[in-house]
Amino acid sequence: MNQLGLLLRALWWRRGLSLATLIVAAITIGAGSLGPLYARAADESTLRDQLNSHASQAALHYTFSLALATDGDLDQAIAAGPKPGAIKAYPSTVAAVVLKTNASTPAQTAGGDTGPNTQLIWRDGACAHLVLVKGRCPSAANEVVVSERTLQGNYYSWQVGGSLTLSGVLKDPGGGSQPVPSTVTIVGSYRLRDSQDPFWQGRSYFDAHPGSGKDPVIDTVDGLLAARPELDVLAKPSQVQVQVDYPIDASRLRLADLAGLRSAVTNLSAYQGNGGDTEFSTGVLQVLSDASTEQRLIDRSTLLVSLQLAVLAWLVLFQVIADAVEAKGSEIALAKLRGLAPLATIRFGLAEPILLVALATPIGLLGGWLGVRIFTRSVLVAGTPVALTPATFVAVGVALAGSLIAAAAAGRRTLRRSVLEQWRRTGGHQPSRLMLVLDLVLAAAAIVGVLLLRHPGRDGSPRAATLLAPALLVFAVALLGIRLLPLVLRPLLPATRGTGRIGLFLAARQVVRRPAGLRLAALLA
């Protein structure tokens, strides 16, 4: 407890350097955690963005033919697939029944005209995704709505309130009579609210186009949407196409769920219900593959940038700890004079920075997490989670190890100096010409890298090598700044001589005459 109390008093005695060491150490740890934290969040965002952009492709689609023999056949067929929510990210289903047919007015039917090709469609909840231009949605049997463009120009002589005969849809008239073509009333006209609405799941309900080929040339018009009661009046048996779609909810899917999703989708591909007459299709595996390609690019770029940031942070921490240990040089010299063992001297010299680095570890991790959390809200998909993963803790461990190595390396020179050298207050040497050439080459590389970064490749993405430009630029500014600063401050020497500005007088000579002490200038850069 006495040693801990002494250590805390020492930290308070040099509270300026202690605070600087704590802040820089926290930034170093935070820099280490930023890479995996942001990479994971960006990967999650990319996954959601890909799934949302290709929602119809990522959905699960079941299509099968069914002969409706009893009233319960349709419900049993719809429920035959996986239960909603049984597969991650597929919490609901949208069912539809489609009958291909020809539609004509009674007058056209009497003249032998079968009318254009179309489909009679019941899709659960369809009216909520339409704009009713005229009339209302169907609510009972023998009612349909047609598309607005089908009625335009009165080309087919259809109108709201009129009747249509559907030659391919048979209903039971009762009394043991033979099934007859269904007659329906047009109760309204519709327009698609959004052609890209995921509700329709890419189904071809609205594929109007003129006929082609040999006579008779028959046009195709958009589907006729009916209510569920229409299915109850169909003749038994009636051959229908049942469609069951499972829309994807990307917000429910995380990267950790992908292995299970791939396995479930692979198993579903072998599903054969309703006597084997089942077609299952989905493009979710292709969407996941495309997302994985983008995620690999993100991970590679994030790693490259975060490593630069970590190296810069380590260098800054090295300089700060070097100054902190240097400030303790006289005390280390006294410890040596009192016969303190080498290991005890090292512990005495590095106890303060190591304690500060340890205290900075949770602060840096929290700061990194908060920084990524704030950043994701502005640049990534809304609701993207920021999770602590094993990779994050590994990165924090590496950053902590690097910080401790930086502390040991920074204190090595001071701890190994003799007592006389420790008390000597002069020193420093001028940088060599070779180092000047190296600085110039580094600056040129930084400028070229920034120019290339401003002008990406043909595909619009930056070249991988140019991601080194920010770190090179920081090094160039720091190293060249150290050389230029004495030249800039030299005119201050005569201006401050013989004046009362003692602080400026001493500071200018300290910088100009002892360039080895310009580490703090590099730190600021």
Side-chain angles (χ1 to χ4, degrees), residues 132-137 145 160 187-189:
L132 268 298
V133 180
K134 189 176 182 180
R136 59 178 176 83
C137 272
V145 289
V160 175
V187 298
S189 63

Side-chain angles (χ1 to χ4, degrees), residues 155-506:
Y155 185 77
Y156 303 106
S157 301
W158 294 6
Q159 59 184 350
V160 175
S163 297
L164 295 175
T165 299
L166 308 181
S167 60
V169 180
L170 302 180
K171 73 175 183 178
D172 190 352
S177 302
Q178 291 295 322
V180 296
S182 177
T183 299
V184 296
T185 301
I186 302 175
V187 298
S189 63
Y190 68 84
R191 182 173 63 247
L192 277 180
R193 187 182 302 276
D194 181 6
S195 61
Q196 302 300 319
D197 190 343
F199 171 79
W200 304 108
Q201 292 298 307
R203 297 287 187 176
S204 56
Y205 300 147
F206 315 103
D207 186 27
H209 58 272
S212 60
K214 298 181 180 179
D215 291 334
V217 177
I218 301 176
D219 296 341
T220 298
V221 298
D222 296 326
L224 313 177
L225 298 178
R228 174 62 191 267
E230 173 67 17
L231 304 179
D232 299 331
V233 301
L234 297 178
K236 305 296 190 295
S238 284
Q239 195 75 16
V240 299
Q241 184 185 76
V242 179
Q243 302 171 349
V244 182
D245 298 322
Y246 292 74
I248 191 167
D249 184 356
S251 64
R252 295 172 178 254
L253 195 64
R254 302 280 292 273
L255 290 173
D257 304 322
L258 295 186
L261 176 61
R262 288 190 175 97
S263 176
V265 171
T266 302
N267 294 335
L268 284 177
S269 299
Y271 172 79
Q272 295 293 329
N274 303 282
D277 188 17
T278 299
E279 178 187 348
F280 170 76
S281 64
T282 181
V284 67
L285 296 182
Q286 181 59 48
V287 175
L288 295 180
S289 176
D290 295 340
S292 297
T293 301
E294 291 193 20
Q295 288 162 356
R296 285 193 293 271
L297 295 174
I298 291 172
D299 294 344
R300 193 179 307 138
S301 300
T302 304
L303 176 63
L304 189 57
V305 173
S306 59
L307 281 177
Q308 297 177 67
L309 184 60
V311 170
L312 290 174
W314 278 329
L315 290 175
V316 172
L317 182 65
F318 172 83
Q319 295 189 18
V320 171
I321 292 179
D323 287 330
V325 176
E326 185 71 27
K328 200 177 180 180
S330 299
E331 300 168 35
I332 294 173
L334 288 174
K336 291 178 180 179
L337 284 178
R338 294 188 61 180
L340 210 62
L343 186 60
T345 303
I346 293 174
R347 188 168 59 247
F348 171 72
L350 297 180
E352 296 172 29
I354 289 177
L355 176 61
L356 292 171
V357 169
L359 292 175
T361 299
I363 299 174
L365 178 58
L366 178 61
W369 183 85
L370 289 175
V372 173
R373 185 69 180 269
I374 294 171
F375 193 57
T376 54
R377 289 182 177 179
S378 60
V379 300
L380 299 183
V381 174
T384 298
V386 180
L388 296 174
T389 61
T392 305
F393 293 105
V394 170
V396 169
V398 172
L400 177 60
S403 300
L404 296 177
I405 293 173
R412 179 174 177 271
R413 181 180 177 186
T414 302
L415 292 170
R416 294 188 61 182
R417 282 202 305 241
S418 66
V419 174
L420 290 178
E421 290 178 342
Q422 201 82 35
W423 283 337
R424 185 182 301 159
R425 289 298 182 182
T426 60
H429 61 278
Q430 295 289 343
S432 65
R433 292 184 177 181
L434 179 62
M435 292 302 297
L436 177 60
V437 172
L438 181 61
D439 293 350
L440 293 175
V441 170
L442 194 62
I447 294 172
V448 172
V450 171
L451 292 176
L452 292 177
L453 194 61
R454 297 279 294 179
H455 299 84
R458 293 181 179 179
D459 60 351
S461 59
R463 303 174 180 86
T466 60
L467 295 177
L468 295 172
L472 291 174
L473 187 62
V474 171
F475 278 118
V477 170
L479 297 176
L480 293 179
I482 289 176
R483 296 180 177 276
L484 295 176
L485 197 57
L487 299 178
V488 173
L489 294 181
R490 193 175 297 278
L492 289 177
L493 298 182
T496 58
R497 186 182 299 115
T499 67
R501 293 172 289 181
I502 303 299
L504 184 60
F505 172 83
L506 295 176

